[in-house]
Amino acid sequence: MKARELRLVPLAAAVWGAALLCVLLPQVVWGCAVVCGMLALTLLGLLTARQRGRTELVRGGLAVVLLASAAATAVAVGFAAPSRTEVAAHDGRVVEVFAEISSSASIGQDGRLWFDARTTRAGPPDSATPASASVRIGVDPGDGFDLGARIRVVGEAMATDAGERAALIVFVSEAEIISPASGVFGVAAQVRHDFIERSVRLPEPGAGLLPGLAVGDTRAVPTDLNDDMRTSGLSHLTAVSGANCAIVVGAVFWLTALCRGGRTLRVVLSLSALASFVVLVTPEPSVVRAAVMAGFAMLTVLLGRPSAGSGVLAVCVVGILLVDPWLAATPGFALSAAASGALIVLARPLAAGLGRWMPEPLALAFAVPLAAQLVCGPIIALFAEQQSLIGLAANLLAAPAAPLATVTGLLACLAAPVPALADLLAASAWLPAAWIASTATTTAQLPGAQVLVVPGLGSSLLVAVLSAALGLVIIRPVQAPAFLRRLRAGAFAVVVSTLSLAGAHLVLTGPLVTATTPDGWSIAACDVGQGDALLVRSGDEVALIDTGPEPAPLAACLSSLGIERIDLLVLTHFDLDHVGGVDAVRGRVETVLHGPIGEEADQRMLNDLSVAGATAVDAATGMRGELGTASWRVLWPRPDSAAFPAGNDASIVWEISGGDVPRAIFLGDLAATPQRMLVASGQIRGAYTVVKVAHHGSADQDPGLYEALGPVAALFSAGADNDYGHPRQETIDILDAAGAHILRTDEQGRILLGLRDGELEVWTERNAGEEGTVTGSSVGDPG
């Protein structure tokens, strides 16, 4: 690609950078606007002061446009900021909001229905005042929450961090639809609802996925399939993206050409179809962004100007950010722009490079998903804990089915007035949807389908280096200068080293997964980030206390320990950091011992586990049981306690001892007040070898409890560099004063404990110097 074809890219980069700076640092907004505006005027004056050459004028003109666009972006943020600040001031309060829904709705991990809305009034209940800002609203699932509907909600508000597109998040306790969606949005909503009802009557797999493929509605996608789609790198198919828009444009363009329509007619019909598609799937910002990018990128190719693609894409980015600067800080926007740019810039060179080893059509098929993955990988590593390694193969397998499901599904929507035809088309669309669902499920289960990373700049840079190295190895210019040949040699070494390490990792985490794990452990603290997931093993039976915030880290821990079946799952309470990973053990649990149920989502989770074969039991003080040769007991919560409703203070406190298990107590997220009541209840009898410190080591602790427990070892389950500062130093000092040996998953990774010759033995994943035996008066069961 020639340099002149990329000359508008700096413009997009400058506007993007200005938008990021202004939304992340609102205090510099007007300063940025003034500085960029003055520089633009000064440069414009210099350019017009005397006659200059064409090249100099072009470069100077681009610089003026760049500075002016940056200034305009800052001004847009500056004018929107006061209203956002006013709405965000309701943080931590109960708020009444009148708003118009501005996005499609989707089911979150907490079971709520989430969507974006634009406020018209907001404030304390019965005292709302005019205000205009974007908010994120979570309600109990129900009908009528469609784009364009006007609603009134009351709920607890939480302000967002700088850079978030929504100024406020509202957890709704009371919702009312003032007026449903009307006009074209009302018609589109009815068409979507009819298609969803028609789709979910079809068999699984594929029924719940079909609405996501055709109209971007993911509410019917099963949770386990959604996880598999993410693991296999196919999640972009379950929501409206540039690929969906490109399929619609391409299909209409091709059909018009097949009917011998001229180029002008093809373009007009394609754009009309794209506009109708956007209305049908709801024209929220992400959809508009995908439509603009995909539409323009594809039209440049269809109109015979593929070289203009990068410039058009840059202009689209600038226009979108000028309208909504907060999109600059959203991962979806970055991924959409990066994927579109990758297809324009990298797809053909990659296809040419791959063509040295395979037929040209196959090389092009590989090049399209590979280009997107190479460019999007570093962005995903900034915020996601997993990188799909099977994404390329999964996308190749799913690629033929995606356009069939999308186009046929859309035709089923349009055929709604003729039910028999609509049913036939929906059934026809089900087959490719089932193929995609089966592809996701199968590939997600392959060994090494994904790799866990620590999100952040470091992981992003590492993935960027690997992506660049792979790209350099594949793309080989005909006449490469000497420095580029040396760079390619280095890239080849990086790729070979990475593949060697990956192969070793697959062996160690596959056939030899348990070879590196000590045999004598009886308690394991899994490193699942900011959450709890602890295992107790006695004989041939295993108990799991909580599941952490995500399924993937828990699944990796269970695999590394060779755990296939969970005899007893203890869900201390239903906060996400304790139950978010439950999908990793669904269908593998015999009994679920759970804390008090607080919301409908909690009961739904238990119902799902029961359907998968588990027996749910409501825990209460005094409950006892056996695990292998060990005995366990529930010390908290009190049954039907009005003082401590469902939540942290009603966490299950679980004790186990006897046999080959050191006497241990797991305190859930208990705060200081219930800790004191636990001590006063007389349930604490004697000293303990191991204590799982409450609430990840928060500051809200009762020193008297830990003095009474007298632990030899204290387990802190917390995520590295978490936002809460867990474990707090004052809590560590409390355990130090109690004589406990401090063990932390955020510093030492997975921690294993066991008994050997009457002493507590410790193994850690990191900081090998911490391994060894720990002695103390409470080792073993004091009886």
Side-chain angles (χ1 to χ4, degrees), residues 417-429:
V418 186
L421 179 59
D423 287 339
L424 176 62
L425 289 169
S428 301

Side-chain angles (χ1 to χ4, degrees), residues 514-740:
T514 59
T516 57
T517 301
D519 292 329
W521 71 272
S522 54
I523 297 176
C526 294
D527 181 14
V528 293
Q530 184 63 14
D532 278 5
L534 301 107
L535 291 152
V536 179
R537 182 179 68 173
S538 178
D540 295 329
E541 296 187 1
V542 175
L544 172 63
I545 302 96
D546 291 328
T547 67
E550 295 285 345
L554 175 61
C557 183
L558 295 175
S559 176
S560 68
L561 296 172
I563 302 299
E564 297 291 338
R565 182 77 182 168
I566 304 297
D567 298 281
L568 176 64
L569 172 61
V570 181
L571 298 178
T572 60
H573 60 301
F574 289 91
D575 283 358
L576 184 64
D577 57 335
H578 292 256
V579 301
V582 74
D583 287 342
V585 294
R586 181 179 282 112
R588 303 163 62 184
V589 176
E590 183 174 332
T591 303
V592 181
L593 187 66
H594 62 86
I597 297 171
E599 300 179 357
E600 291 183 8
D602 305 342
Q603 186 60 57
R604 285 197 298 269
M605 177 181 295
L606 294 175
N607 292 343
D608 288 344
L609 289 169
S610 297
V611 169
T615 301
V617 179
D618 195 353
T621 302
M623 190 174 290
R624 297 172 179 270
E626 304 291 329
L627 183 78
T629 58
S631 301
W632 57 264
R633 186 165 62 105
V634 176
L635 310 186
W636 191 270
R638 294 177 176 177
D640 303 320
S641 172
F644 301 110
N648 288 352
D649 291 344
S651 297
I652 294 176
V653 175
W654 194 74
E655 167 199 285
I656 188 166
S657 61
D660 48 359
V661 180
R663 193 172 193 230
I665 185 170
F666 302 84
L667 296 173
D669 274 1
L670 229 57
T673 299
Q675 286 178 17
R676 285 190 287 269
M677 294 187 68
L678 177 61
V679 175
S681 71
Q683 296 289 332
I684 305 297
R685 304 167 188 169
Y688 289 79
T689 304
V690 179
V691 58
K692 199 290 295 185
V693 180
H695 205 179
H696 321 292
S698 74
D700 193 11
Q701 309 283 344
D702 175 39
L705 170 64
Y706 296 102
E707 183 179 355
L709 296 176
V712 172
L715 285 173
F716 289 88
S717 183
D721 301 322
N722 64 82
D723 295 335
Y724 308 96
H726 295 162
R728 298 291 291 271
Q729 186 57 48
E730 52 265 48
T731 303
I732 295 174
D733 293 341
I734 290 174
L735 272 301
D736 275 332

